[in-house]
Amino acid sequence: MNESKVSRRKALKALGLVAGSGAVVAALAGCGETQVVEVVKEVAVVQEKIVTVTVPEQTPQRDNVTIVMQSWWAPTIGLPFQAWDEHIRTFSNTSPWVTLEVEYVPWGDMIKKYLAGVAAGDVPDVFHSSIAFARDLWDQGTLEELSEFIKTTPDMAESTFMPATTPYRNSQGKWFAIPWEGFDGRALYYNVAHFEEAGLDPAFESTSQWDWDMLLEASQQLTQRDGDKVTRSGFLIIRPHMEYFCSWLYCQDAEFYAPGETKVAFNQNDAAMKMVDWHLAALNDHNISIPIVAERPDVNLFQQGQASIAQNGHWAISKMRTDVPGLKFDLMGIPKGPGGSKMRTVAFTNLHALPTKARHKDDAWDFIAWQAGLEQQIKKLQLMDFPSPRLDFYETNEWKIQTQRVPQLKNLPTMLEDGGAWPYVRFSEVNNTYTPIMEGMMIGQREVGAGVADMETGINEILGKAAEMMG
Amino acid sequence: MQIARTSESRPRPGWLRDLQRDALGYSFAGPAVILLVIFSIVAIVVSLWISFHEWTFLRDERPWVGLDNYAKALDDPVFGKAFRNTARYAAIVVPAITGLGLLLALIGNEARQGRAVFRTIFFIPTLTPLVVLSFLWIWLFEPTGSFNIVLEKLGLPTPNWLMDPVMAPFAIIIMSVWAHVGYYMVIFMAGLADIPQIYYDASEVDGANVFQRFWHITLPLLRNTLIFVVVILAIGAFQVFDQVYLMTRGGPDNSTEVMQALIYKQGFEFFHMGYASAMAWYLFAAIAFFTAIQMRIFRSQQLY
């Protein structure tokens, strides 16, 4: 990459000068002494010019390239995203021959757009991959193996990143993605002012010690009603999606996957049933939440003070602060459940990957390594209040300074240190089996025991096929 | 006397003369026909081929599985549910929109004043994107939404429409009828405008009442419009997707899962192209079957 190159123009110039000096030497025969001296001086100047053209180390000259990144991080999402989008263009300061072009695709369309590109042979150079589809795309053979690239860039080695990121980007010893977005998990956001009004201690040191009973009790205290009608939800009960469901397993010290990820283990010790039962009781018997509806705006309800506790991703800290600057809130993991030892949650990271058919793999890799590097991760923190999947990130002064400015960030490492696996294998398909059954249980259409058993059977079938496909 | 024949005077074959005569027409229709062949005809044939394979377009191995995908669909409870949901949707939506559209057209046709306003009011939903309409109706169907406020005032039960597996399909149907009835009303109005006034004048002289005029004049003379409306509606109903995907995503508990959405998921979310193609061929067979039945029902010996 550092080889010294001479441009075509300079080479021609040098050739011209050499030819000129040759002609001058040839003309010496017909000249007097004085003239000879003059000519020799000229030749010396000419030779000096040649030397100055060829010898010194030049700035590496590379052909200009444009690398295309597909991402759902569009500047239109909000100001922090706009700032980040502007910042990543500074990659050109490091690699002046590279122009970054970002193709913004809504999250829901990312996989379709990418697959259509793969089928048509028109893929981006860098693919911002959700954890929801990175592994599947690797299994389908559409992502480049990164092991050789990683060898050339020690900063991207396995040891740089949180160990929990490894399964999301490594299959059978082969690396296929680099984590750069996150580290995230599921959290319970709570309104500090509501807590104080209800006489509850809002300090993380206190809420992190809660168990399910204490959460229910606090939610009852926080709920406000007009007759039977809930006017302020103590705890917004949702249709549990898979990320949330997993978090409620881990706080019981249960697991979603059995070892090897070829089947599930979520109902060992009835963990899944206990999770569903708790939510049904909270919703129907204890009446601590407004009803579950199709498109309930939970974030807005929390921001408007119509809910005291609501679940969300860790990544929403920035959004909460930007949307409602005066909102006093904090967050906790999922309180420990029956059989659990402490508050826990799921932990995940989104990734960058190189499509197999990418046109500019070297430059794309440079960009990935740049963005996942410590300096840019700190910049991301400063611009967006987002944490990092890098281990060294949490030792930096910038992190410590930022946690003083954004106190909600401070406890993320504690919440995520024992983070359980995100259900990343065949997520779409597994989710499609999981969701109707969970909905059926939550609306009382399915008996919980039978529902969980159906879920196990359906998901095991999908995971079994995935394992079979990968040999 | 011998007649010298030159190449110029030799008569050209009939097909060439026809081609030369119609060249301009072919050149106009050509691009559309080429696109139709590539993106419809070829795609249909390819989908049949794919349906006999375990096919994902990302991998090179695409083993032949014969009729396995078709058999698998018959054993798949979600496919069965989606098929029943789609058939129920079509069975309700097609007569509802046809009847309501015709009724509104008759009312609009009779109106002496404000006909344009009447037409505009009912046609507005047609001009509004289905995405916007879907979100509007999500809000209307909330437990505390306008729909339930009205029901509460009438002393009727107020269900959680989109989270109730019994009511959710009807919520989709109500929204769909409202969204599409205006378009078909306009088509019926155009059909009514084509019926000569002289028949109504004559029937009035004969003493026919409103219902007799409708039954013996309007309905028979609207037959071609009716065939068009019913067939197009039925095809559209079997392909319902947008409002289901946006309002319920097939839930709760698959109670609003429909064929088109299931095919989409299998093909473009789970990469099971072979299985999705087999499902698509079942859907095609169902549409063809019901369209044939409709054409037979509407077939008449009388020519108007």
Side-chain angles (χ1 to χ4, degrees):
Chain A
M1 277 181 212
N2 287 325
E3 60 185 309
S4 176
K5 286 187 179 176
V6 179
S7 73
R8 190 166 164 262
R9 197 173 169 186
K10 284 183 178 171
L12 286 171
K13 194 175 168 187
L15 195 66
L17 289 168
V18 170
S21 64
V24 167
V25 170
L28 285 178
C31 299
E33 194 180 336
T34 313
Q35 286 171 312
V36 168
V37 169
E38 287 300 319
V39 170
V40 167
K41 277 181 184 171
E42 279 183 37
V43 170
V45 170
V46 165
Q47 281 170 343
E48 191 182 315
K49 280 182 183 170
I50 294 167
V51 168
T52 54
V53 168
T54 55
V55 174
E57 277 289 307
Q58 294 290 305
T59 308
Q61 296 293 312
R62 305 269 298 254
D63 289 337
N64 288 337
V65 294
T66 298
I67 58 169
V68 178
M69 174 171 70
Q70 240 172 40
S71 174
W72 67 87
W73 276 27
T76 47
I77 296 173
L79 283 177
F81 287 87
Q82 194 180 329
W84 177 250
D85 187 71
E86 282 166 19
H87 171 69
I88 56 175
R89 316 287 165 167
T90 61
F91 175 63
S92 296
N93 298 343
T94 316
S95 302
W97 60 92
V98 177
T99 305
L100 176 69
E101 190 179 303
V102 187
E103 214 173 270
Y104 309 108
V105 183
W107 193 89
D109 294 334
M110 281 291 287
I111 186 79
K112 281 158 259 174
K113 174 95 177 160
Y114 178 77
L115 291 178
V118 170
D122 179 23
V123 291
D125 298 297
V126 179
F127 182 60
H128 179 183
S129 174
S130 162
I131 188 173
F133 32 78
R135 168 65 184 272
D136 291 353
L137 292 177
W138 165 255
D139 288 352
Q140 299 286 345
T142 72
L143 299 182
E144 184 80 7
E145 198 202 330
L146 301 179
S147 304
E148 290 305 314
F149 287 96
I150 291 170
K151 276 182 200 163
T152 65
T153 319
D155 188 43
M156 293 294 107
E158 182 184 2
S159 56
T160 301
F161 301 98
M162 301 269 188
T165 65
T166 299
Y168 306 144
R169 59 198 188 96
N170 183 297
S171 177
Q172 298 172 332
K174 292 177 178 170
W175 300 95
F176 54 85
I178 295 293
W180 72 276
E181 188 212 319
F183 213 41
D184 279 326
R186 245 329 103 170
L188 300 185
Y189 283 61
Y190 54 92
N191 186 312
V192 169
H194 290 186
F195 269 48
E196 286 167 350
E197 275 169 33
L200 296 165
D201 182 0
F204 178 77
E205 291 69 26
S206 167
T207 56
S208 61
Q209 300 305 312
W210 284 12
D211 59 21
W212 287 7
D213 290 339
M214 292 164 83
L215 173 64
L216 186 60
E217 200 179 313
S219 303
Q220 283 172 313
Q221 281 176 256
L222 292 161
T223 304
Q224 291 180 351
R225 300 182 186 85
D226 178 9
D228 277 347
K229 193 176 166 188
V230 172
T231 53
R232 184 177 85 184
S233 303
F235 176 35
L236 268 177
I237 302 290
I238 61 163
R239 276 182 286 181
H241 47 72
M242 288 193 74
E243 188 179 310
Y244 180 80
F245 171 72
C246 289
S247 300
W248 282 76
L249 298 175
Y250 302 142
C251 67
Q252 301 176 64
D253 284 352
E255 292 296 331
F256 181 80
Y257 292 117
E261 293 155 359
T262 55
K263 58 183 181 175
V264 292
F266 55 61
N267 206 31
Q268 279 180 7
N269 301 320
D270 296 334
M273 286 171 63
K274 284 175 189 165
M275 180 272 174
V276 180
D277 284 338
W278 188 91
H279 282 78
L280 285 174
L283 184 68
N284 301 325
D285 304 336
H286 301 290
N287 197 23
I288 58 167
S289 171
I290 59 167
I292 296 171
V293 297
E295 293 284 336
R296 197 176 60 188
D298 285 9
V299 175
N300 296 356
L301 291 173
F302 181 74
Q303 288 175 336
Q304 291 160 8
Q306 292 179 47
S308 301
I309 307 175
Q311 63 80 36
N312 210 328
H314 287 142
W315 50 267
I317 292 172
S318 172
K319 180 176 167 52
M320 291 283 181
R321 288 170 54 84
T322 315
D323 288 357
V324 190
L327 183 67
K328 281 174 68 183
F329 71 94
D330 208 338
L331 45 161
M332 59 174 125
I334 309 299
K336 69 181 169 207
S341 52
K342 60 175 185 173
M343 163 198 80
R344 280 186 70 193
T345 185
V346 70
F348 69 96
T349 174
N350 288 323
L351 313 129
H352 268 334
L354 276 180
T356 315
K357 295 179 186 171
R359 287 181 195 88
H360 309 293
K361 286 181 187 156
D362 287 340
D363 291 315
W365 170 256
D366 288 346
F367 176 75
I368 291 172
W370 177 80
Q371 209 176 50
L374 184 61
E375 197 181 328
Q376 304 315 316
Q377 291 292 303
I378 288 170
K379 195 73 192 172
K380 182 158 63 75
L381 169 74
Q382 290 165 338
L383 291 172
M384 310 181 79
D385 295 341
F386 281 1
S388 169
R390 292 180 67 102
L391 288 164
D392 54 3
F393 174 88
Y394 298 94
E395 304 302 321
T396 60
N397 276 335
E398 287 85 352
W399 167 253
K400 284 162 195 158
I401 291 165
Q402 198 73 356
T403 55
Q404 283 164 5
R405 200 178 70 77
V406 185
Q408 292 90 347
L409 289 173
K410 194 175 74 182
N411 300 309
L412 291 195
T414 314
M415 277 186 257
L416 293 166
E417 65 186 352
D418 286 332
W422 201 91
Y424 64 99
V425 181
R426 302 290 182 277
F427 172 76
S428 296
E429 212 172 333
V430 167
N431 191 43
N432 192 55
T433 298
Y434 162 92
T435 302
I437 298 174
M438 178 55 83
E439 279 177 349
M441 292 190 288
M442 289 301 291
I443 59 176
Q445 287 291 308
R446 286 176 188 255
E447 192 267 318
V448 175
V452 169
D454 287 348
M455 223 189 253
E456 275 184 309
T457 310
I459 298 175
N460 281 343
E461 195 180 322
I462 297 164
L463 296 180
K465 277 185 193 162
E468 198 179 305
M469 179 183 160
M470 294 311 290
Chain B
M1 190 177 134
Q2 251 187 343
I3 298 170
R5 296 188 105 185
T6 65
S7 61
E8 280 171 7
S9 63
R10 193 184 303 148
R12 283 166 297 180
W15 65 268
L16 193 60
R17 276 203 311 272
D18 291 348
L19 190 68
Q20 279 180 333
R21 188 192 62 210
D22 300 333
L24 192 62
Y26 284 126
S27 66
F28 282 132
V33 170
I34 290 166
L35 290 175
L36 185 76
V37 168
I38 293 171
F39 291 107
S40 290
I41 313 294
V42 172
I44 288 168
V45 174
V46 170
S47 86
L48 183 64
W49 176 251
I50 289 174
S51 74
F52 298 126
H53 294 78
E54 192 181 311
W55 186 295
T56 160
F57 55 84
L58 300 177
R59 295 175 75 88
D60 294 334
E61 312 94 71
R62 290 154 181 172
W64 172 270
V65 294
L67 293 171
D68 281 6
N69 285 325
Y70 291 89
K72 185 181 166 190
L74 296 178
D75 285 340
D76 184 345
V78 181
F79 175 79
K81 202 166 189 177
F83 193 88
R84 285 192 297 276
N85 289 342
T86 311
R88 177 180 55 191
Y89 174 86
I92 298 174
V93 160
V94 175
I97 292 181
T98 309
L100 212 54
L102 181 55
L103 181 67
L104 289 171
L106 290 168
I107 294 169
N109 208 39
E110 288 299 314
R112 294 188 184 280
Q113 286 183 329
R115 190 186 292 190
V117 175
F118 181 86
R119 268 196 305 227
T120 306
I121 287 171
F122 283 97
F123 199 70
I124 282 173
T126 307
L127 302 174
T128 314
L130 213 49
V131 178
V132 177
L133 296 182
S134 299
F135 279 99
L136 176 73
W137 280 88
I138 286 172
W139 293 328
L140 291 175
F141 280 130
E142 275 191 6
T144 53
S146 309
F147 218 77
N148 275 358
I149 290 171
V150 174
L151 291 177
E152 197 173 14
K153 290 212 185 300
L154 296 171
L156 295 169
T158 54
N160 185 349
W161 286 88
L162 298 176
M163 282 306 293
D164 183 330
V166 177
M167 300 311 292
F170 291 100
I172 303 270
I173 287 168
I174 291 168
M175 180 270 178
S176 302
V177 171
W178 178 84
H180 297 302
V181 75
Y183 175 74
Y184 291 97
M185 175 196 77
V186 170
I187 290 177
F188 278 125
M189 283 178 108
L192 287 171
D194 278 348
I195 301 175
Q197 182 62 29
I198 193 167
Y199 293 132
Y200 292 108
D201 294 342
S203 67
E204 215 167 319
V205 171
D206 290 343
N209 62 28
V210 174
F211 296 106
Q212 285 169 326
R213 270 185 279 165
F214 173 73
W215 191 254
H216 294 292
I217 298 171
T218 309
L219 212 51
L221 290 174
L222 269 183
R223 189 172 62 91
N224 289 340
T225 310
L226 264 174
I227 293 172
F228 171 77
V229 166
V230 171
V231 170
I232 294 296
L233 261 175
I235 293 171
F238 273 99
Q239 294 177 339
V240 61
F241 176 75
D242 300 33
Q243 54 268 58
V244 172
Y245 195 74
L246 291 163
M247 289 172 74
T248 61
R249 291 188 180 268
D253 200 7
N254 287 329
S255 61
T256 57
E257 189 65 278
V258 289
M259 290 288 290
Q260 192 86 324
L262 193 61
I263 292 167
Y264 172 80
K265 279 185 202 167
Q266 287 292 344
F268 297 100
E269 288 187 6
F270 314 151
F271 322 128
H272 300 154
M273 280 292 172
Y275 188 39
S277 297
M279 284 183 178
W281 276 93
Y282 275 123
L283 180 62
F284 171 76
I287 292 173
F289 176 72
F290 286 108
T291 305
I293 288 178
Q294 286 160 359
M295 299 299 278
R296 190 163 184 82
I297 289 171
F298 281 108
R299 193 163 65 191
S300 165
Q301 300 302 317
Q302 291 170 293
L303 189 67
Y304 294 100

